């Protein structure tokens, strides 16, 4: 079995054609796909029609699956039959949401606010509106490389504090405040802002919507730098906006990619995406093989 591929956009991504993803795939082909994934940050497959089991099996080719903890008591859990699948949707049944509509609003990488962020994630578009509901992807290798020296020297080897507790009500205004128990479960974490990718050894920018403070900087200066880095990494030069079609599957590498749901009003039609998520490992920054700056819990 051979497949073909084509660049998705200048900044990021590759589309892969000619594979049947509903059946077990040769180890050699998986290695080739992984190489493309590592080199291009995101992979797109089109016209997929598969069951939750098939999505889960295909995702497992890339690592161990992560089961998303329930984000809030007002949201439904993951797919009840398959807890490995997290539901992103604007659909309501009997007045209750069947998934989390605003899961991805604001630039981020999945799990960036956890001690061990997620390695990758895969979204499968079951239903999408005719207009709106796009998703942006930013290549943080490229933004890191293009970062002006005067900004880079200020952050290299430094960590940022990522805080679910501080940012929950700002990033998820539609959800009730975190309970005491939820706060205890989501302690703040410090991650290196420039991160060495553990598989490619390349440097990428690791910042996002849960970052609130920078090591060794006064609070307001840190916040300004975070804003500046976010604006920089999401410049047109580094991003691709995906307009979903039914049957699209995108696998992205959270370690070197930020993504963002483009907010939409939800009146345009139903949006129903199913996400599988991969476990990751502890972020670090390695300077010429010498100095290591690791993440740690606050
Ligand atoms: C996610 C996410 C983006 C979107 O599922 O992790 O960020 O467009 N989704 O819904
Ligand atoms: Mn996300």
């Amino acid at each position: 079995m051979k497949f073909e591929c084509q660049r998705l956009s200048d900044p990021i991504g590759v589309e892969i054609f000619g594979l049947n993803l509903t059946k077990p795939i040769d180890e050699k082909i998986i290695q080739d796909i992984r190489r493309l994934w590592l080199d291009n940050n995101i992979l797109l497959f089109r016209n997929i029609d598969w069951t939750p089991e098939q999505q889960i099996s295909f995702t497992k080719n890339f690592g161990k699956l992560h089961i998303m903890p329930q984000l809030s008591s007002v949201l439904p859990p993951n797919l009840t039959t398959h807890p490995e699948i997290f539901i992103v949707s604007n659909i309501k049944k009997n007045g209750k949401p069947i998934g989390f509509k605003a899961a991805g609003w604001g630039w981020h990488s999945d799990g960036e606010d956890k001690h061990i962020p997620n390695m990758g994630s895969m979204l499968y578009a079951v239903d999408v509106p005719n207009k709106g509901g796009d998703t942006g992807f930013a290549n943080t290798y490229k933004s890191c490389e293009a970062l002006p020296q005067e900004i880079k020297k200020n952050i290299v080897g430094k960590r940022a504090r990522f805080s679910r507790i501080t940012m929950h009500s700002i990033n998820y205004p539609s959800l009730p405040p975190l309970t005491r128990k939820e706060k205890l479960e989501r302690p703040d974490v410090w991650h290196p802002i420039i991160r060495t990718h553990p598989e490619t050894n390349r440097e990428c920018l690791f910042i996002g919507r849960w970052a609130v403070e920078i090591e060794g900087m006064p609070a307001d200066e840190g916040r300004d730098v975070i804003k500046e880095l976010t604006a920089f990494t999401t410049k047109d030069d580094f991003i691709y906006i995906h307009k979903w079609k039914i049957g699209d599957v995108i696998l992205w590498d959270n370690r070197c990619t930020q993504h963002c749901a483009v907010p939409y009003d939800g009146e345009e039609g139903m949006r129903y995406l199913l996400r599988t998520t991969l476990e990751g490992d502890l972020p670090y920054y390695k300077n010429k093989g010498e100095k290591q700056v690791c993440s740690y819990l606050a």
Side-chain angles (χ1 to χ4, degrees):
M1 189 169 40
K2 265 187 71 164
F3 65 86
E4 289 177 37
C5 60
Q6 184 181 307
R7 175 139 290 289
L8 192 56
S9 73
D10 267 352
I12 191 166
V14 147
E15 178 173 350
I16 294 185
F17 314 83
L19 281 178
N20 179 353
L21 306 188
T22 64
K23 298 235 170 76
I25 298 176
D26 235 53
E27 184 48 39
K28 170 78 183 69
I29 298 278
I30 293 294
Q31 279 172 16
D32 292 346
I33 298 176
R34 189 173 192 101
R35 192 66 253 160
L36 281 170
W37 187 44
L38 294 174
D39 289 344
N40 297 281
N41 308 45
I42 75 173
L43 301 178
L44 167 67
F45 306 87
R46 290 199 193 266
N47 302 311
I48 306 300
D49 181 5
W50 61 15
T51 61
E53 286 86 0
Q54 287 166 332
Q55 178 169 353
I56 289 167
S57 303
F58 181 61
T59 314
K60 277 185 180 163
N61 286 309
F62 299 92
K64 192 169 171 278
L65 286 196
H66 171 75
I67 298 188
M68 285 286 285
Q70 182 153 15
L71 278 175
S72 156
S73 57
V74 301
L75 290 174
N78 302 325
L79 215 59
T80 39
T81 48
H82 299 85
E84 300 92 336
I85 295 192
F86 172 73
I87 308 164
V88 180
S89 183
N90 61 355
I91 302 173
K92 286 187 176 164
K93 272 201 182 130
N94 303 323
K96 289 209 172 114
I98 64 163
F100 189 16
K101 174 182 169 184
W105 294 21
W107 287 96
H108 67 285
S109 60
D110 294 332
E112 66 179 37
D113 62 316
K114 298 184 302 179
H115 193 201
I116 310 285
N118 296 102
M119 171 170 74
S121 308
M122 180 188 290
L123 270 178
Y124 166 46
V126 181
D127 211 349
V128 290
N130 293 326
K131 212 176 117 229
D134 306 337
T135 308
F137 295 91
N139 185 333
T140 67
Y141 286 131
K142 290 200 170 158
S143 57
C144 189
E145 203 182 321
L147 208 58
Q149 264 315 315
E150 67 271 18
I151 302 180
K152 197 166 181 180
K153 71 173 190 330
N154 240 346
I155 56 162
V156 68
K158 287 198 180 140
R159 281 166 280 227
R161 181 165 61 87
F162 289 70
S163 177
R164 166 73 58 152
I165 295 169
T166 307
M167 296 306 289
H168 173 84
S169 58
I170 296 164
N171 289 334
Y172 294 155
S174 63
L175 299 184
L178 291 180
T179 61
R180 237 178 79 81
K181 180 169 172 283
E182 284 167 341
K183 285 184 185 170
L184 286 170
E185 285 163 0
R186 305 303 290 253
D188 291 1
V189 58
W190 293 87
H191 291 305
I193 306 170
I194 294 181
R195 175 178 182 181
T196 307
H197 191 291
E199 290 185 77
T200 64
N201 279 314
R202 294 170 65 195
E203 289 178 2
C204 42
L205 205 54
F206 198 67
I207 204 82
R209 64 179 171 177
W210 303 99
V212 291
E213 184 188 349
I214 295 182
E215 229 168 26
M217 274 186 204
D220 51 347
E221 188 186 334
R223 273 195 300 272
D224 288 348
V225 172
I226 290 165
K227 244 195 228 157
E228 186 178 22
L229 292 174
T230 301
F232 188 82
T233 206
T234 57
K235 275 175 29 170
D236 287 349
D237 299 357
F238 312 122
I239 67 168
Y240 159 72
I241 308 280
H242 187 65
K243 296 191 182 309
W244 293 95
K245 291 204 179 86
I246 289 174
D248 285 356
V249 166
I250 292 188
L251 170 66
W252 65 87
D253 185 339
N254 280 306
R255 300 165 293 188
C256 52
T257 312
Q258 281 198 39
H259 62 283
C260 174
V262 179
Y264 64 107
D265 63 17
E267 303 303 313
E268 314 288 349
M270 294 200 273
R271 188 172 194 263
Y272 186 74
L273 304 170
L274 298 178
R275 195 185 90 196
T276 36
T277 313
L278 291 159
E279 287 291 358
D281 42 26
L282 190 74
Y284 60 84
Y285 168 67
K286 205 181 206 173
N287 188 11
K288 298 190 188 86
E290 284 167 17
K291 189 172 153 205
Q292 281 219 2
V293 179
C294 290
S295 301
Y296 68 93
L297 280 175

